[in-house]
Amino acid sequence: MRVAMIGTGYVGLVSGACFADFGHVVTCIDKDASKIERLKKGEIPIFEPGLEGLVERNVREGRLFFATEGAEAVKTADAVFIAVGTPSRRGDGHADLTYVYAAAEEIAGQIDGFTVVVTKSTVPVGTGDEIEAILKRVRPDGDFAVVSNPEFLREGAAINDFKRPDRVVIGTDDERAQRVMAELYRPLNLNESPLLFTGRRTSELIKYAANAFLAMKITFINEMADLCETLGADVQQVARGIGLDNRIGSKFLHAGPGYGGSCFPKDTLALVRTASDAGSPIRLVETTVQVNAARKKAMAGKVADAMAGQVKGKRIGILGLTFKPNTDDMRDAPSLDIVPALIEMGAQVQAFDPEGHEARQMLPGVDFKDGPYEVADGADALVIITEWDQFRALDLDRVKRLMRTPLVVDLRNIYRPAEIESRGFQYRGIGRG
Ligand code: UGA
């Protein structure tokens, strides 16, 4: 089949490369000429394990193309995917659909023959109806169907998530469109990934409901962690104890400094706005948003507590700045709350992240180092904010020799308290009372 993918951000680029790897012919289109130039040269603008090789192979084998202008690809496409950004609108938290609607206008002028127009971007319920209205207005003669096909991939595990999904949700009542979508995803039959056909609005809501539920699950265990600290219990054992119940499940029960990233914060907020506008507020998600924001702010206080309030003039080493490991994404990362607050308290902060290069612009006043041991050097406290693998097996004796005070504040619980304490460290984790 022939696919046109509008937008080469995370979702567009990964989906485009994976569809090409399924054997389809895919053109990824983006207005950003320098990005397309780089992609044509095989340079990948984001850090995503495995993506570079996947793009390279599919370009070489003649199934994956990049272009700044989509007319030709859209004209011949069986399916055109809209995978442009939907950032939070400034001021009110609603999803900003400017790019989605602009893409729809453009596609409308280019389609030829029956074309399935698919939204992969995360869009509020009813956006598909609006896209359909735009297409009908611009092309009253057009033969098309508008489908919602949300993406559930995680940064850092995106290729595996795309190729081995728990499910694929396809929102359309149009039978021709259902057939095209089933054909596009046919390679997944091998893994027995279920294709779930629903109405379009239902599909749009499934995406938000999934992210909101996961954000709520994390927030639940984070509050449980606070309770564990007060009551003298261990949150990791609580997570295991409840997670083994299949009805609950063990995933997304790792307590930490609060969720971040380009999806959970934006999507929970957008869902809250949609629900309250519809007169059907979802208070659990409203509370999740508030609790998570407060948690990120409270983390600097936790570090200060571990330092017995002695932060002013002290040197604090930070390991990990991105919102999670295996990504270079800094969006809504907990570090963006924690680090400025520590600086505000008078600390000198030195930090290292393997991929979070953007942090250099986002966190003024930080002394950026080239590795974890450089960060430990002379520090009065070492704070683990992001659980990159390379921080899990540090040479602790070396770290201890380098630090001025051997204190580790582990906001991701990657070390075992007894073990690290036996090496002469003072240790503070999350929810281990
Ligand atoms: C999330 C969803 O997991 C994907 O299914 C979805 O497709 C994606 O959003 C999206 O809407 O595009 P992502 O933002 O890449 O994916 O990252 P996650 O792995 O979900 O992590 C989000 C945040 O939650 C991170 O800050 C992470 O550290 C935190 N988290 C996650 C925890 O604190 N504890 C956990 O147990 C899991």
Side-chain angles (χ1 to χ4, degrees), residues 142-412:
D143 187 13
F144 58 83
V146 177
V147 175
S148 157
N149 173 219
E151 189 44 63
F152 300 102
L153 54 82
R154 284 164 304 165
E155 292 187 13
I159 293 167
N160 191 60
D161 283 353
F162 192 94
K163 291 190 164 183
R164 283 172 200 74
D166 291 341
R167 78 309 202 184
V168 174
V169 177
I170 297 168
T172 177
D173 295 325
D174 185 297
E175 281 177 18
R176 284 190 300 170
Q178 286 178 354
R179 280 199 294 278
V180 170
M181 296 303 286
E183 184 59 24
L184 275 176
Y185 282 107
R186 198 158 53 89
L188 295 182
N189 292 351
L190 280 178
N191 314 328
E192 298 181 2
S193 303
L195 301 192
L196 178 66
F197 289 96
T198 69
R200 195 164 60 204
R201 285 178 162 248
T202 304
S203 164
E204 288 168 341
L205 187 55
I206 286 172
K207 169 68 195 188
Y208 281 98
N211 273 1
F213 191 87
L214 292 169
M216 215 164 65
K217 197 171 175 188
I218 296 167
T219 305
F220 175 85
I221 204 68
N222 282 342
E223 289 209 299
M224 232 7 104
D226 290 348
L227 189 58
C228 283
E229 284 175 19
T230 332
L231 299 182
D234 182 332
V235 73
Q236 284 190 287
Q237 289 178 14
V238 171
R240 192 163 155 72
I242 63 172
L244 285 170
D245 184 329
N246 283 332
R247 292 169 303 175
I248 296 172
S250 56
K251 293 182 180 161
F252 278 63
L253 282 181
H254 297 291
Y259 61 78
S262 63
C263 305
F264 287 173
K266 165 175 82 72
D267 294 348
T268 44
L269 204 59
L271 184 61
V272 162
R273 294 287 180 265
T274 301
S276 87
D277 287 0
S280 181
I282 32 171
R283 281 162 301 176
L284 282 174
V285 184
E286 283 171 17
T287 305
T288 297
V289 170
Q290 287 160 13
V291 170
N292 191 63
R295 181 171 191 81
K296 291 203 267 189
K297 295 227 174 309
M299 285 297 118
K302 192 174 172 65
V303 175
D305 273 357
M307 299 176 77
Q310 305 297 307
V311 176
K312 202 167 168 39
K314 293 286 166 67
R315 193 180 292 246
I316 298 180
I318 304 281
L319 294 180
L321 297 165
T322 50
F323 83 96
K324 67 171 191 178
N326 295 324
T327 177
D328 56 1
D329 203 333
M330 286 296 299
R331 282 176 284 181
D332 276 311
S335 65
L336 297 177
D337 282 306
I338 301 169
V339 171
L342 291 173
I343 293 175
E344 183 72 34
M345 290 176 199
Q348 292 171 279
V349 174
Q350 50 195 37
F352 168 68
D353 188 283
E355 294 294 333
H357 311 298
E358 253 184 68
R360 287 175 187 266
Q361 280 87 56
M362 302 172 96
L363 291 171
V366 172
D367 182 7
F368 288 92
K369 302 287 189 189
D370 294 331
Y373 299 103
E374 288 81 351
V375 162
D377 198 3
D380 296 289
L382 194 59
V383 183
I384 301 166
I385 300 187
T386 316
E387 69 279 31
W388 286 90
D389 274 347
Q390 59 173 281
F391 304 150
R392 290 176 188 270
L394 294 173
D395 175 347
L396 290 176
D397 294 331
R398 185 173 166 201
V399 170
K400 183 157 177 279
R401 277 196 307 275
L402 286 166
M403 290 183 74
R404 191 151 60 189
T405 322
L407 165 65
V408 171
V409 183
D410 178 2
L411 300 182
R412 299 287 184 167

Side-chain angles (χ1 to χ4, degrees), residues 408-421:
V408 171
V409 183
D410 178 2
L411 300 182
R412 299 287 184 167
N413 285 345
I414 61 177
Y415 283 95
R416 289 179 214 275
E419 213 169 285
I420 192 165
E421 278 163 8

